Amino acid sequence: MTRSGTNDSNPVHPATTAGAPAPTPTPAPTMRAVTQPRYGSPDALRVTLVPVPSPGPNEVRVRIRAAGVDAGTWHLVTGKPYLMRLLGFGVRGPRSGTLGLAFAGEVDAVGSAVTAFQPGDRVFGSHGGAFAEFVCAPESMLARMPSDAGFDAAATLPVSGVTALQAVRDAGEVHAGQSVLVIGAGGGVGSFAVQLAVAAGATVTAVCSGSKESLVRSLGASEVVDYTQTDVTALDRRWDVIIDIAGNRRLSRLRRILGKRGTLVLVGGENGGPVLGGMERMLGATVLNAFTSQRLRGLISRENAADFDVLAAAVTSGAIVPAIDTPYPLAEAGAAVTHVAAGRARGKVILVP
Ligand SMILES: NC(=O)c1ccc[n+]([C@@H]2O[C@H](COP(=O)([O-])OP(=O)(O)OC[C@H]3O[C@@H](n4cnc5c(N)ncnc54)[C@H](OP(=O)(O)O)[C@@H]3O)[C@@H](O)[C@H]2O)c1
């Protein structure tokens, strides 16, 4: 309070003239967002009200209609493995207070230097802060939605779709006539990897739990190995390409079922320990690669608009159909993250603001 008794804490407003009512400061518009100041359990995630972000000159503000939940979200919520805290994600809590990365929605406002998009465009992309009603993302991290696709389907593409694309096309160099083994085939990344390998002309064997056999067959897998019944690394078989997404199997076991000149792509795998989280396998593969005729690759995927366009075209042509698990409302973000982390997701989990 000022000495005159008026509430003049907002310096933007001019001084009140005698007798006139004090102007009411316009409150900043707010939105609902899933925020997290500290690493911890997904159960602790809550929706809070935060200011609606304003786009910078090269940014586009998107009204989010669907956001993708992936295994990486669990890592950001819990801060594990600890190595990621040292890699710049934040020591005590995530750098971006609002969670979420992949989204789809409508352009709501554009910065002064934006040329490719205008309000009303249907777009998808990736940027921190997607578990909210609005996000501001650089123009360069957006693409137009595949024609006829829903927001749920488009929100699956920027992280899981791009990871699968870079595993199959770039690291795996999958081509027609090859045999490809996809381990973790029923999850977010795996469901795309199966379809992309089939679209490249390969014959795909999927490794998943028995409950997901019908799903992976519907995606194009010609053979399914239920890992709860059969250890795929003990089979007397060799594949041209192995895309290893789940299970953290030992490198030596995977190499046993890889062709002599075959390619192993390490994408992920949970339960790799609280400190390194399985990164040691990637490091091991990089070193070993120099001493073997097999090609051993560790993948670190990078989201980019060119690959968003490739995936949008694949959806439009029908080459891939995003497999979507039950959508969750924003308020149940914690349950959605737990569902994915437990490996229960059939395809991709979506959050709807
Ligand atoms: N390298 C990168 O740049 C990059 C990018 C994105 C994600 N990732 C990593 O990739 C991994 C998968 O991500 P996601 O989003 O696809 O996760 P997800 O949706 O949870 O899928 C993982 C799937 O693996 C299956 N699974 C669990 N244990 C298994 C085992 N022992 N053997 C075979 N399958 C098993 C699970 O279902 P069933 O058990 O029912 O079969 C689940 O469907 C995560 O570790 C993530 O961190 C890496």
Side-chain angles (χ1 to χ4, degrees), residues 71 163 187-189 208-209 212 227 245-247 249 267 269-270 299 301 340 343:
T163 302
V189 177
C208 60
S209 65
K212 292 179 183 157
Y227 71 87
I245 303 166
R249 289 164 179 81
V267 177
E270 303 302 322
L299 180 80
S301 63
V340 173

Side-chain angles (χ1 to χ4, degrees), residues 65-112:
R65 300 297 187 189
V69 183
D70 52 78
T73 315
W74 181 85
H75 295 291
L76 267 187
V77 171
T78 59
K80 292 177 187 167
Y82 296 117
L83 176 66
M84 61 177 272
R85 303 190 188 198
L86 302 177
L87 293 179
F89 286 91
V91 176
R92 291 205 167 78
R95 274 184 192 280
S96 163
T98 302
L99 288 167
L101 198 56
F103 60 85
E106 291 136 348
V107 174
D108 166 72
V110 296
S112 55

Side-chain angles (χ1 to χ4, degrees), residues 115-347:
T115 55
F117 301 101
Q118 57 185 24
D121 286 348
R122 286 155 49 91
V123 295
F124 70 103
S126 82
H127 194 66
F131 291 177
E133 292 179 280
F134 295 90
V135 69
C136 285
E139 179 178 27
S140 59
M141 292 306 286
L142 294 173
R144 283 177 198 286
M145 292 245 310
S147 48
D148 297 337
F151 293 116
D152 289 8
T156 68
L157 301 173
V159 174
S160 299
V162 164
T163 302
L165 178 66
Q166 293 177 3
V168 170
R169 179 195 63 189
D170 304 338
E173 296 179 34
V174 172
H175 53 265
Q178 286 188 309
S179 58
V180 176
L181 182 71
V182 178
I183 304 178
V189 177
S191 58
F192 282 113
V194 170
Q195 297 183 79
L196 289 163
V198 169
T203 303
V204 173
T205 305
V207 178
C208 60
S209 65
S211 65
K212 292 179 183 157
E213 173 163 1
S214 58
L215 170 70
V216 297
R217 283 203 188 274
S218 75
L219 302 175
S222 11
E223 215 179 340
V224 178
V225 178
D226 175 353
Y227 71 87
T228 65
Q229 305 293 323
T230 306
D231 175 5
V232 69
T233 67
L235 296 178
D236 193 15
R237 291 267 302 270
R238 284 183 185 260
W239 280 268
D240 297 322
V241 180
I242 299 176
I243 312 276
D244 181 52
I245 303 166
N248 257 320
R249 289 164 179 81
R250 293 172 63 89
L251 265 186
S252 56
R253 300 296 295 172
L254 293 169
R255 291 184 60 210
R256 206 192 146 268
I257 53 168
L258 181 66
K260 291 237 171 336
R261 299 196 168 275
T263 302
L264 168 65
V265 183
L266 298 175
V267 177
E270 303 302 322
N271 310 319
V275 179
L276 295 177
M279 286 297 284
E280 60 275 25
R281 274 193 336 150
M282 294 222 186
L283 297 174
T286 307
V287 172
L288 208 56
N289 183 56
F291 303 99
T292 168
S293 60
Q294 295 174 323
R295 296 184 338 129
L296 311 177
R297 304 274 183 265
L299 180 80
I300 295 178
S301 63
R302 298 195 190 288
E303 299 106 59
N304 64 86
D307 283 348
F308 297 163
D309 287 336
V310 169
L311 291 166
V315 170
T316 301
S317 73
I320 57 171
V321 179
I324 301 171
D325 198 304
T326 320
Y328 284 77
L330 200 60
E332 291 177 23
V337 173
T338 302
H339 183 67
V340 173
R344 291 197 295 269
R346 296 170 66 84

